[in-house]
Amino acid sequence: MNYNKILCLMVLPLAFSCSAKPQKKAGEIKLIETDPVVEKKADVNPDEDKIDRILAMMSVRAQTEITILDKKEFLKDLNEILEEEKTFRKDDVSLFYLIDKKHHIGAEYEPKDIVKCVPNDDFYMNRNDLSLRPEAYDALVKMARAAKKEGIKTLISSTYRSYQYQDGLFKRYAKNYGEAEADRFSARPGTSQHQLGTAIDFGSVTNEFADTKLGRWIYQHGAEYGWSLSFPKGYEPECGYMWESWHFRYIGTKACAFQKKYFNDIQQFMLEFIDFWKNN
């Protein structure tokens, strides 16, 4: 036999035996090498999921225009707003109280310690039966004084309205224009921001107000004193009423900044979100 063939036959068994896996002996624990698996605990904040659930309850337009890029930052800001709400007086409704066509307040409600507006050097009135919730009155005075320093005169035309007053007002509009049309610009009793004592109609109570000196000034500076436009132009389906350039509600400076940062500066979106958050 050829010597090389004999050598190959001798080497093959050795090579085969070297490549074979070692056999497990009796009583021996077999160790199986695997890639280490690191179990990561999911760091899930349930409140971040809650944001998505709340948004899903809101209108399509709200979902489109509300901008929350950083949920952790949003929750921090939201919690600051909710903490501020705890400082509001306990014997009256919250300054963030949601009142609209779907959310009512009772006929018996009237603001606590309501302040009657009287002739003064800070602002003007076009009628003598105006009054406001104390927080709103103080904010009005501060804003009017700031405007006055810039040569702007502040004129207020309508403030607190009782349930009964609003009832008579809506009935009159409905008689003159029909209920469907009246519903576009007048609140039914129990659904008006004016009943809260924190809303003001400024100036002429027409949309020409937006182009007056006072209108332009409040649009630019009102939020610095806690005043928010309630019914902006082009949002009738979402807010329930046609554009009212003269109607502002006092919600506080922090809420105004929060509204602008995340809610496209739409008061209705912010108040709806806060209401959903507290009740879900």
Side-chain angles (χ1 to χ4, degrees):
M1 183 180 290
N2 184 290
Y3 175 76
N4 289 332
K5 289 184 179 180
I6 295 174
L7 184 60
C8 288
L9 291 173
M10 293 174 62
V11 172
L12 280 173
L14 180 61
F16 181 80
S17 64
C18 289
S19 64
K21 293 182 180 179
Q23 297 298 309
K24 178 183 174 185
K25 297 178 181 178
E28 180 182 357
I29 298 175
K30 186 175 181 181
L31 298 177
I32 302 175
E33 290 187 6
T34 59
D35 293 332
V37 177
V38 180
E39 291 187 8
K40 293 185 178 179
K41 218 173 188 181
D43 184 16
V44 177
N45 183 342
D47 281 348
E48 292 186 14
D49 291 335
K50 186 175 179 179
I51 293 172
D52 295 329
R53 293 201 307 274
I54 298 301
L55 288 175
M57 299 177 189
M58 302 182 71
S59 69
V60 173
R61 187 167 187 181
Q63 294 176 42
T64 301
E65 296 187 5
I66 295 173
T67 305
I68 302 174
L69 301 178
D70 185 329
K71 289 184 177 179
K72 289 183 173 58
E73 181 179 358
F74 174 80
L75 288 171
K76 176 178 175 294
D77 292 341
L78 173 62
N79 287 329
E80 287 182 5
I81 292 295
L82 296 177
E83 284 301 311
E84 181 187 42
E85 188 177 29
K86 293 177 183 177
T87 68
F88 298 163
R89 58 186 301 163
K90 303 297 188 293
D91 61 345
D92 209 337
V93 299
S94 170
L95 292 175
F96 305 150
Y97 187 89
L98 180 61
I99 185 168
D100 54 28
K101 289 181 175 179
K102 296 179 181 178
H103 302 85
H104 301 186
I105 200 163
E108 72 288 348
Y109 173 77
E110 62 179 47
K112 302 291 183 181
D113 303 323
I114 197 163
V115 178
K116 182 175 175 59
C117 299
V118 296
N120 61 82
D121 295 331
D122 298 316
F123 56 83
Y124 301 88
M125 305 176 294
N126 67 4
R127 35 192 296 188
N128 59 10
D129 60 346
L130 303 180
S131 54
L132 287 166
R133 181 167 162 165
E135 301 94 322
Y137 182 85
D138 291 343
L140 168 64
V141 170
K142 289 178 183 177
M143 184 174 71
R145 287 176 178 173
K148 186 178 179 181
K149 288 180 180 178
E150 297 186 31
I152 307 293
K153 295 180 179 180
T154 299
L155 173 65
I156 60 174
S157 300
S158 185
T159 52
Y160 166 70
R161 299 176 193 159
S162 69
Y163 181 99
Q164 293 72 22
Y165 183 97
Q166 190 68 35
D167 184 36
L169 186 64
F170 181 83
K171 285 177 179 176
R172 185 164 72 250
Y173 286 139
K175 181 179 179 180
N176 292 336
Y177 301 98
E179 283 198 14
E181 186 63 20
D183 267 326
R184 299 184 62 206
F185 62 84
S186 180
R188 292 174 182 267
T191 69
S192 174
Q193 291 186 354
H194 285 285
Q195 191 179 343
L196 302 179
T198 55
I200 293 179
D201 289 343
F202 288 96
S204 60
V205 195
T206 65
N207 283 323
E208 282 72 26
F209 173 74
D211 292 321
T212 64
K213 288 183 179 179
L214 177 60
R216 290 193 296 268
W217 193 92
I218 293 181
Y219 270 73
Q220 185 175 357
H221 299 288
E224 298 168 19
Y225 302 91
W227 293 97
S228 164
L229 180 69
S230 296
F231 310 121
K233 192 174 186 177
Y235 285 83
E236 184 176 347
E238 290 74 29
C239 298
Y241 302 99
M242 61 176 63
W243 179 37
E244 292 190 356
S245 68
W246 63 86
H247 180 113
F248 287 75
R249 174 178 174 176
Y250 178 71
I251 57 174
T253 56
K254 287 185 179 179
C256 282
F258 184 60
Q259 167 185 301
K260 185 173 184 179
K261 184 175 181 180
Y262 297 106
F263 297 90
N264 198 30
D265 214 12
I266 304 299
Q267 180 193 118
Q268 182 73 20
F269 292 167
M270 182 192 69
L271 295 181
E272 279 184 9
F273 188 97
I274 290 174
D275 185 71
F276 276 131
W277 186 270
K278 292 189 298 185
N279 294 294
N280 290 276

